[in-house]
Amino acid sequence: MIALLALAAVAAAPSAKPLTPSEIVSKAPAADWQTVSPADLLVIDYEGGGRTVIQLAPDFAPVHVANVRALANAGYWKGSSIYRVQDNYVAQWGVNEGGPPTPAGVVAKPPAEYSRSVKGLTLRPLGYADQYAPRVGHAGGWPVAWNPKTGRANLTHCYGMVGVGRDMAPDTGMGGELYAVIGQAPRHLDRNIALVGRVIEGIENMSALPRGTEALGFYKAGTVARKIASVRLASAMPATDRPSFQVMRTTGATFASYIHARANRQDQFFQVPAGGVDLCNAPVPVRRTPAPSSSR
Amino acid sequence: MIALLALAAVAAAPSAKPLTPSEIVSKAPAADWQTVSPADLLVIDYEGGGRTVIQLAPDFAPVHVANVRALANAGYWKGSSIYRVQDNYVAQWGVNEGGPPTPAGVVAKPPAEYSRSVKGLTLRPLGYADQYAPRVGHAGGWPVAWNPKTGRANLTHCYGMVGVGRDMAPDTGMGGELYAVIGQAPRHLDRNIALVGRVIEGIENMSALPRGTEALGFYKAGTVARKIASVRLASAMPATDRPSFQVMRTTGATFASYIHARANRQDQFFQVPAGGVDLCNAPVPVRRTPAPSSSR
C-alpha cells in the first residue's frame, strides 16, 4: 500500500466532482496569466549550482525594490552567502557584515515602506476571516491585508515572501540583507518590516538547507549555509538565458474558482471540506511562461 | 551591521516593556509544566546519527496511537526510511511498500479517529478568529479546533504535527506510514486524517532534508531521504538513556500570558502589534525536563 495523503489531485477525479485546485490552474486560459517583467525578476545563482528566482514587488516597496535592483546591478552580492537558516521561520542571505561599500544610487535609509495606500490597488477580498488584519485578499497577484479605516494595505508574510532585514527602528534596512519565509507564516511581522517580493522558483535551495546551530538559526562564525555566485535581474541577463514566469491574475473568474476550491476541497481524498482557507494557504499560482507554440 | 529581524527576544527589554513570549516561557514556574509520559514519547534514531522525538496524543486517536506503540515495540520500522519530502507540506516516513508483516496486536483498519467528543477535554479558547473551524484553542497541551454544535473536537495540522498516511477512504491508515507537517499549516487536512502527535525535538532532521524530485515530493525509486535505524518508545529504553520532556500546561495563567504576548508583540523590534494570532503561530511551549537541582 502507498498511503497517498491527499494525492487525489493527480488522479482523475470522477466527472461529477468539481475540479481540484491543480486542475483549475492547469486549465486556466492564457488571459488569466500575466507575464512578470524581467526587471521584476531577481535571479540568485549559487556556487556549485542551483538557482532561486524572486519576483519583486515595486508597487509595495518602491524605494527598497529600487535599492535591490541597484545592488544586483552593482554586483553587490557576488560572493555573499546564506548565513542564517532558522527552522519554521526564515532563511536570510546577503552581506551580513563588512562587505563592499554601498553602491551609488542606493538609498542608505529608505522610508518605512511597511504599508501603502489602498488607492490604485484592485483589492479582491479572500472572503474568510483573518487573525491579523480587518481584511485580507489579493491585489495584482500578491497576498495583501488592508484596513478600510486607515486606507492602508500591506503585503503579508506568507511562505516564500521576501523581506528586508533591518536593525531596530528607525533603521528600515537598505536591502543588502534579505530573508525568505520558510515556515508557518510569521504574520506578526506584517507592517513591521518591508516586504519586497516572493520566491517563485527554487525555494528548496533555501528551505532545505541545514539549520544554523547558533541562536536564531545563524551559522557559526566562519561558516555559511550556501555561497552565492551571482544575483542578477533577469533584465540584465542575455535574452536567451532569461527565465520567464507568469503569475495568475487575481481579479478573474479562474482565480475565484481556485480560491473556492482551496477552501472547499472535494478531491476524492477528502471526506470533509473545510469551508474556509487561510490567506497563506492559498498561494497565487505561478508557472514558467509556456513556449509560444504551446500557449493556449 | 547585523540586521536582526525580530531578534529582540534575546536582548534585554527595557523594564517598562511587557515580557516577550520567550521571557514568559523561561520564567514559567515548575507548576506550569507537565512531564510527558515515556509511553507517549516516540524516539526515532537515524542511521548516521540524529534523532527526532514525537509526543503521542492518545487522548485524540487512541487506536492509532496504540498501533504506533505496537509497531515501535515490534521493531517494525527498523531499516525503514523517510521517502517523501514535499516542500512547504510534509515529510513522510515508515514502510512504504512491502516491508515486514503487520505485527500481532496492530489493528489493520482503525476507526476514523479524525475527531472526538469534547467531553472530558478542558478547552481553552484562543480568542481569535479561525478560517477552518467555529472555535480553536488548546486542550491538554494540544492545538485543537471544535464545533459547539456537534460537540466534536479535533487536533489541528500545525507545523510539526504528525499524522497517519492513508489511502482513499474507507482506509484510515494503520500507522505504518507517518508524516510531519514541515510548512504552512495544511489545515484543510483537519478532520480528514488521523493526527497522532507532534514533533517536539529534531524536526530539522525532517524539514531540512533535500526535497524529493518526483511528484508530490516522493523520492526516486531506490533512493530515500534518510534511513531510520530504530523507532522506540522512551518507555522501552533504558531509564538512563530516556529523553524527557515537559509541555506547558495550557490551562494556566502563564499560558494565557504567552498567547497574549504572541498576539501583541511589543518587543523592542516591533512597531505595530498585530492584535491577533493564528492558532498555528502560537505553538505550545516544550522543554527538556530540567535536572532536579535546577528545577524551580
Side-chain angles (χ1 to χ4, degrees), chain A residues 1 87 96 192 207-208 271-272, chain B residues 1 87 96 192 207-208 271-272:
Chain A
M1 179 193 78
D87 196 70
N96 188 11
N192 283 285
S207 60
Q271 305 291 299
V272 188
Chain B
M1 181 191 77
D87 195 71
N96 188 10
N192 283 285
S207 60
Q271 304 294 297
V272 188

Side-chain angles (χ1 to χ4, degrees), chain A residues 137-226:
Chain A
H138 295 85
W142 295 96
V144 293
W146 67 95
N147 185 335
K149 285 186 190 159
T150 62
R152 305 291 295 178
N154 59 275
L155 293 177
T156 54
H157 275 82
C158 295
Y159 192 91
M161 292 294 286
V162 173
V164 176
R166 67 164 171 88
D167 217 320
M168 297 299 165
D171 179 47
T172 60
M174 71 86 172
E177 298 178 76
L178 301 170
Y179 63 90
V181 173
I182 59 163
Q184 178 68 25
R187 293 279 311 280
H188 51 285
L189 296 174
D190 291 359
R191 300 184 294 145
N192 283 285
I193 200 160
L195 286 168
V196 291
R198 67 166 172 147
V199 175
I200 56 173
E201 193 173 86
I203 183 78
E204 70 278 6
N205 290 318
M206 295 179 168
S207 60
L209 296 174
R211 278 39 180 157
T213 54
E214 306 307 288
L216 303 156
F218 281 89
Y219 268 61
K220 254 189 223 307
T223 70
V224 300
R226 180 162 259 170

Side-chain angles (χ1 to χ4, degrees), chain B residues 12-249:
Chain B
S15 57
K17 283 278 186 189
L19 296 179
T20 66
S22 336
E23 287 166 346
I24 290 167
V25 172
S26 69
K27 288 174 194 291
D32 276 317
W33 296 98
Q34 179 148 35
T35 303
V36 179
S37 162
D40 290 346
L41 288 178
L42 191 70
V43 179
I44 303 176
D45 285 313
Y46 301 101
E47 288 187 12
R51 172 176 284 186
T52 297
V53 181
I54 292 163
Q55 179 191 5
L56 298 172
D59 291 343
F60 289 87
V63 179
H64 282 89
V65 167
N67 271 8
V68 167
R69 288 189 183 126
L71 292 165
N73 286 334
Y76 182 78
W77 288 299
K78 190 177 165 66
S80 70
S81 66
I82 302 175
Y83 53 82
R84 178 190 183 194
V85 187
Q86 183 173 2
D87 195 71
N88 192 20
Y89 197 40
V90 297
Q92 191 166 331
W93 71 93
V95 177
N96 188 10
E97 286 190 88
T102 303
V106 171
V107 178
K109 193 185 142 196
E113 299 173 314
Y114 307 155
S115 66
R116 55 155 282 172
S117 168
V118 295
K119 281 180 193 155
L121 294 178
T122 303
L123 298 163
R124 184 205 175 277
L126 181 69
Y128 303 104
D130 189 75
Q131 298 84 359
Y132 298 90
R135 298 280 186 286
V136 291
H138 296 85
W142 296 96
V144 294
W146 66 95
N147 185 334
K149 286 186 187 158
T150 62
R152 306 290 296 177
N154 59 275
L155 293 177
T156 53
H157 276 81
C158 295
Y159 192 89
M161 291 293 284
V162 174
V164 176
R166 67 164 171 87
D167 217 321
M168 296 300 165
D171 178 48
T172 59
M174 71 86 171
E177 297 178 78
L178 301 171
Y179 64 89
V181 172
I182 59 162
Q184 177 69 23
R187 294 279 311 280
H188 51 286
L189 296 175
D190 290 359
R191 300 184 294 143
N192 283 285
I193 201 160
L195 286 168
V196 291
R198 67 166 172 149
V199 174
I200 56 173
E201 193 172 86
I203 184 77
E204 70 279 6
N205 290 317
M206 296 178 166
S207 60
L209 296 174
R211 279 37 179 159
T213 54
E214 306 307 287
L216 301 156
F218 281 90
Y219 268 60
K220 254 189 223 305
T223 70
V224 299
R226 181 161 258 170
K227 293 279 275 179
I228 291 172
S230 72
V231 179
R232 294 173 291 174
L233 292 171
S235 52
M237 297 169 69
T240 49
D241 286 352
R242 281 180 199 168
S244 179
F245 290 88
Q246 297 184 322
V247 173
M248 185 175 280
R249 293 182 196 277

